[in-house]
């Protein structure tokens, strides 16, 4: 009920969600999809206690990817990154939970898999920075921007998770 009221009165793309309602954007990159790691990645987020509110398999357009990676446009690897990200399907997700952005980033591991600890997604499944399986928002502001790029508001589902009282005090 509270979630429905918040959805009606708040625009999730302009209002910072905090606490247990914080949202983050996570994308399984083409190499993660090709390696069939999607289920394992979803399992990790679910077991952590996060709440899935958006999920879709997409072939990302060049314009979407350029907007998503806009801050990297001057880097020498930018064009290669866009080619790689458009080379196959991407699984785009929105997860909700307490400190979702920070916690998801820790679950992903470092951008360079060589710096990632075992137990993180990149630490367990990646060897090279150019094929690092997954993307996660690096701040609440980035999460809001990325969610609005990849999802329309009607594609995000607000639903009551009956396990929440077992996760949050």
């Amino acid at each position: 009920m509270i979630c429905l009221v918040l959805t009606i009165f708040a625009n999730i793309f302009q209002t910072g969600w905090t606490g247990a309602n914080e949202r983050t954007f996570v994308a399984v990159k083409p190499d993660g999809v090709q390696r069939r790691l999607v289920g394992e990645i979803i399992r990790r987020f679910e077991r952590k206690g996060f709440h899935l509110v958006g999920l879709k398999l997409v072939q990302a357009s060049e314009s979407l990817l350029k907007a998503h990676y806009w801050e990297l446009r001057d880097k020498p690897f930018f064009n290669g990154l866009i080619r790689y990200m458009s080379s196959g399907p991407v699984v785009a997700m929105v997860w909700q939970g307490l400190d979702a952005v920070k916690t998801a980033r820790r679950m992903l591991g470092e951008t360079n898999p060589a710096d990632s600890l075992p137990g993180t997604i990149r630490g367990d499944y990646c060897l090279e920075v150019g094929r690092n399986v997954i993307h996660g928002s690096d701040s609440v502001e980035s999460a809001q921007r990325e969610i609005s790029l990849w999802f329309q508001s009607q594609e995000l589902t607000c639903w009551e998770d009956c396990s929440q009282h077992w996760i949050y005090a």
Side-chain angles (χ1 to χ4, degrees):
M1 181 65 166
I2 292 172
C3 208
L4 178 60
V5 171
L6 288 173
T7 301
I8 292 170
F9 293 107
N11 180 335
I12 64 162
F13 302 127
Q14 295 174 353
T15 303
W17 288 52
T18 59
N21 291 320
E22 185 174 294
R23 290 180 175 181
T24 192
F25 176 75
V26 173
V28 181
K29 296 178 179 182
D31 58 316
V33 174
Q34 292 291 334
R35 293 178 56 200
R36 293 169 174 76
L37 295 174
V38 175
E40 170 63 20
I41 290 167
I42 290 172
R43 183 185 69 79
R44 288 182 182 218
F45 279 86
E46 287 182 329
R47 288 202 172 161
K48 184 69 174 177
F50 286 117
H51 183 82
L52 183 64
V53 296
L55 171 75
K56 62 182 172 179
L57 178 70
V58 297
Q59 183 70 44
S61 68
E62 190 173 305
S63 61
L64 171 61
L65 293 168
K66 284 182 176 180
H68 179 89
Y69 290 111
W70 180 251
E71 66 278 355
L72 302 175
R73 68 191 175 280
D74 295 327
K75 301 288 185 184
F77 58 82
F78 180 75
N79 290 330
L81 175 61
I82 301 303
R83 275 193 308 278
Y84 153 63
M85 288 296 293
S86 62
S87 69
V90 172
V91 174
M93 297 177 278
V94 178
W95 291 95
Q96 182 174 304
L98 184 64
D99 294 322
V101 173
K102 179 180 176 182
T103 304
R105 292 290 292 187
R106 288 186 182 231
M107 291 172 64
L108 270 57
E110 299 298 321
T111 301
N112 184 345
D115 298 330
S116 293
L117 296 173
T120 64
I121 293 167
R122 291 178 179 145
D124 290 348
Y125 299 111
C126 306
L127 293 172
E128 184 179 323
V129 72
R131 298 291 183 268
N132 66 4
V133 175
I134 194 164
H135 166 83
S137 301
D138 62 4
S139 68
V140 172
E141 296 76 25
S142 291
Q144 290 171 339
R145 184 182 66 80
E146 292 169 356
I147 291 167
S148 70
L149 282 171
W150 290 81
F151 288 89
Q152 296 178 9
S153 60
Q154 68 270 18
E155 293 178 300
L156 300 176
T157 304
C158 196
W159 57 283
E160 186 177 342
D161 184 343
C162 62
S163 69
Q164 293 303 296
H165 73 279
W166 297 108
I167 297 169
Y168 299 107

